[in-house]
Amino acid sequence: MDGPYIRVEESGDVQQLDAEVTTIGRGEGTDIRLSDPSVSQLHAELVRRGPYVYVVDLGLSLNGTRVNGRPIARRVLEEGDVISFGTARCRIGGLPSEELNPDIELRRGAAPELTRRELDVLTSLCRPALSDEAFVSPATAREIAEDLVVTEAAVKQHLLRLYQKFRIPEGPNRRTRLANEVVALGLVRPMPVLDRKRKAS
């Protein structure tokens, strides 16, 4: 088989990863459908960059995504890696055999220029995902508005501009995809809970 592919361990089904993005989940519209109840409707994406593939957990599942047993948000895959979506296990194959540094390989081009307010919106958006609780969805527009003491309409305008700046295409889970991109680029950092409480008091 030429190029990267994924094998579902339970069924033995093998799917070639020809598309740039392959969606995985329990929902009918996903490219690779897993019937396991621990898998979300839309659980993760496999993104192909030339001969390489990385996996992105979409943050919508309580059970998360693991590579070789370790929870991940986003990770470059190597030949033979076992990916667990909830408890459903798959194995990746057909990848180049050289050693890859998962951190370096994911660094894309420089981040777009952002205003101070846009950075505030991104920090608030990603805050739940950067907390100690695993697999939390990013903040909603309403939660960001409450956090920044602005209107929900203003937050939605900022988010629309941010989707354009980060080239996040329309579609489901756009906020989650934006948050994943921002965290992967290292633009936001976790804010210690104690500091937040001290600030609020």
Side-chain angles (χ1 to χ4, degrees):
M1 195 173 268
D2 285 340
Y5 63 86
I6 190 166
R7 181 191 303 275
V8 181
E9 292 204 338
E10 189 182 34
S11 64
D13 289 345
V14 175
Q15 179 149 341
Q16 192 87 31
L17 300 174
D18 293 324
E20 185 177 331
V21 178
T22 302
T23 54
I24 295 172
R26 211 160 26 94
E28 286 183 23
T30 52
D31 300 317
I32 297 176
R33 213 170 154 199
L34 301 171
S35 56
D36 191 298
S38 68
V39 176
S40 292
Q41 299 290 327
L42 181 60
H43 196 108
E45 291 176 340
L46 293 169
V47 182
R48 182 168 173 176
R49 291 281 180 264
Y52 306 109
V53 175
Y54 64 86
V55 61
V56 181
D57 180 78
L58 292 174
L60 304 170
S61 163
L62 292 174
N63 301 305
T65 300
R66 293 170 183 266
V67 174
N68 303 326
R70 297 182 61 184
I72 58 94
R74 173 177 172 128
R75 185 183 165 89
V76 172
L77 297 170
E78 295 182 29
E79 180 68 18
D81 277 346
V82 174
I83 315 165
S84 304
F85 306 102
T87 58
R89 285 159 56 96
C90 300
R91 189 178 292 272
I92 197 87
L95 295 174
S97 56
E98 77 256 34
E99 289 280 312
L100 295 174
N101 181 322
D103 299 323
I104 292 170
E105 293 298 324
L106 279 180
R107 293 221 169 96
R108 295 218 211 132
E113 278 192 35
L114 300 169
T115 65
R116 180 66 200 266
R117 194 38 131 184
E118 285 169 346
L119 260 178
D120 290 344
V121 169
L122 289 176
T123 302
S124 184
L125 170 76
C126 297
R127 191 165 286 150
L130 293 169
S131 70
D132 293 334
E133 299 167 47
F135 318 125
V136 179
S137 294
T140 63
R142 177 175 291 176
E143 288 166 344
I144 297 169
E146 286 172 5
D147 189 27
L148 300 180
V149 198
V150 293
T151 65
E152 201 174 329
V155 170
K156 285 179 177 172
Q157 284 301 311
H158 282 303
L159 285 173
L160 281 173
R161 273 202 298 277
L162 288 163
Y163 293 142
Q164 290 169 346
K165 283 189 174 186
F166 285 91
R167 297 182 182 164
I168 307 294
E170 285 187 32
N173 310 306
R174 213 173 177 193
R175 270 184 308 110
T176 303
R177 284 181 285 146
L178 175 62
N180 274 330
E181 188 70 19
V182 168
V183 171
L185 286 167
L187 288 175
V188 294
R189 293 267 178 270
M191 192 177 180
V193 175
L194 283 174
D195 287 2
R196 286 222 304 273
K197 283 187 177 149
R198 208 173 287 137
K199 254 186 192 175
S201 59

